[in-house]
Amino acid sequence: MDDLEFRKRLYSDPASQDQDMIDAIKQDSKRASLADELNAFDDEILTAMKVEVPENLASQLILRQSLHAHQQTKKKSRIHLAMAASVAFAVGITVNFLTASPVYLNVADYSLAHYHHEAANFEKTGDVQYSLANFNSEMNDLNVSFSDKLGKLISIDDCYFDGMDSMHLVFEGKYDNVTVFIVPKSEHLKFTQQFNDETVQGVARQYQQGGVIIMGDKKETLELWQKKIDETIEWSI
Amino acid sequence: MASKQVRYEALVNALHADLYRYAYWLVHDKHVAEDLVQETFLRAWRALDSLKDQKAAKSWLITILRRENARRFERKQFEMSEYDEGATVDNWSTSTEQQLEDHWLREKIAKLPAEYREPLVLQVIGGFSGEEIAGMLDLNKNTVMTRLFRARNQLRDAVEQDKAIKGRYNG
């Protein structure tokens, strides 16, 4: 190794542990003293470079990180809360949709389904004592009233007619009970004037403010019921 | 979580001083250096899981810090402040001989071209080898060794010059 090369190597890394550098220093006292000088100089450089570190820098770094992490956690929990809320909302919408959304496209199908579903709940005969005023007050929500009693009442109840708040009336008929649904104006159900299946028949009439569906035994003369209702029904809006 | 916290705190305690000094010599401003170190450690915290080799932690942090510094320049395109004497030396009156000596050398180090100073800081403070510095600065090793040689050479020349001037005054 010539002097120039030695100098270059020494200046670029005075603390070099390369074997040829160690050997070169050992073999030549001039080189050894230059190496000592350079190493001492490096110590000076190191001391000079060690500028004062701001007090508490380490604790500040730790503090800032933990505040940051804390905020992240808060943000995350907010996100989780928001996610939970979204899921709950979606579930709510879905349940609402499944229970309240129209499944049937026409009055006939739905009426038959509803009728058969509840048929077993009603007696064939009955005569609930009621006043016309009481009877009409039950209909308030539908904005409908009757000017006369329709017949012997077996049952009167609110019902959920394909997602619409409706009235479910059951009267005594000649052969079997007669069911009357009074429903609000519906956008999605198509009114069929007459319908039937194996056991029951039905008639439906659409008024401007709502509809009336009458169902009963196949032998029953539903037209009479329809006529009676037609004559006595009063829509208030 | 807890162990990540422990690792992080260990990292801060072991390396914050070196990192701060490196930042200081990079930007010559105490406050900017401190901000850089803060940003660097925040990023380090977020990416701590990606640090597999604890031995590589220092060069990893320096790489983050250099990137942060580059971002800083993209954000505000202001001129890097010149070496600010006031920022290095606080109390002239209470300075010892050694502090004056340090101050003198600091000025010389600060006046080195940045491309010579940076590898020197990495070697002297960081204790990195030529290869490691080359990796961090994305240079080849020969270039790094040449710059290290020039850095020390210029500093030595400055010392010699100073001695010569002093000598003249004394003589």
Side-chain angles (χ1 to χ4, degrees), chain B residues 2-162:
Chain B
S3 76
K4 186 181 177 183
Q5 184 72 32
V6 169
R7 282 175 77 201
Y8 176 80
E9 287 184 19
L11 206 64
V12 168
N13 286 325
L15 299 175
H16 78 278
D18 278 357
L19 206 66
Y20 171 81
R21 287 174 178 139
Y22 172 77
Y24 175 82
W25 288 111
L26 197 64
V27 299
H28 293 152
D29 182 300
K30 281 179 171 180
H31 302 291
V32 176
E34 208 175 323
D35 285 351
L36 274 177
V37 173
Q38 294 269 14
E39 274 309 306
T40 301
F41 273 104
L42 265 191
R43 282 187 187 273
W45 162 261
R46 290 187 206 122
L48 199 57
D49 293 334
S50 71
L51 178 66
K52 300 291 179 221
D53 182 4
Q54 296 291 354
K55 278 187 216 155
K58 196 195 275 184
S59 64
W60 181 67
L61 286 171
I62 283 174
T63 307
I64 298 175
L65 192 139
R66 293 185 85 238
R67 217 162 33 212
E68 276 306 307
N69 190 42
R71 274 205 195 93
R72 186 174 68 94
F73 274 96
E74 281 164 22
R75 276 200 301 270
K76 327 171 185 175
Q77 295 208 316
F78 61 79
E79 282 292 298
M80 192 171 86
S81 61
E82 284 303 303
Y83 175 64
D84 177 5
E85 191 175 301
T88 7
V89 178
D90 297 327
N91 298 306
W92 268 108
S93 51
T94 59
S95 296
T96 63
E97 191 74 16
Q98 180 59 48
Q99 280 170 319
L100 290 175
E101 195 74 15
D102 288 347
H103 172 70
W104 181 86
L105 195 51
R106 268 174 205 172
E107 275 196 319
K108 304 294 173 215
I109 295 170
K111 280 177 183 157
L112 283 177
E115 59 182 29
Y116 297 166
R117 185 177 55 241
E118 198 175 358
L120 187 67
V121 174
L122 288 173
Q123 190 185 47
V124 175
I125 287 186
F128 292 110
S129 72
E131 277 98 353
E132 289 167 326
I133 296 169
M136 272 183 267
L137 303 186
D138 208 14
L139 297 168
N140 75 48
K141 192 199 164 189
N142 283 340
T143 309
V144 169
M145 296 323 273
T146 304
R147 289 182 182 184
L148 284 168
F149 163 78
R150 287 187 182 153
R152 283 198 181 81
N153 207 27
Q154 287 194 8
L155 284 178
R156 292 267 292 174
D157 281 353
V159 173
E160 295 304 324
Q161 241 175 6
D162 193 66

Side-chain angles (χ1 to χ4, degrees), chain A residues 174-194:
Chain A
K174 229 175 191 173
Y175 302 92
D176 197 346
N177 54 33
V178 171
T179 292
V180 177
F181 292 114
I182 302 170
V183 301
K185 194 173 165 65
S186 139
E187 302 286 339
H188 64 270
L189 283 181
K190 212 175 135 246
F191 266 73
T192 347
Q193 295 203 338
Q194 284 193 314

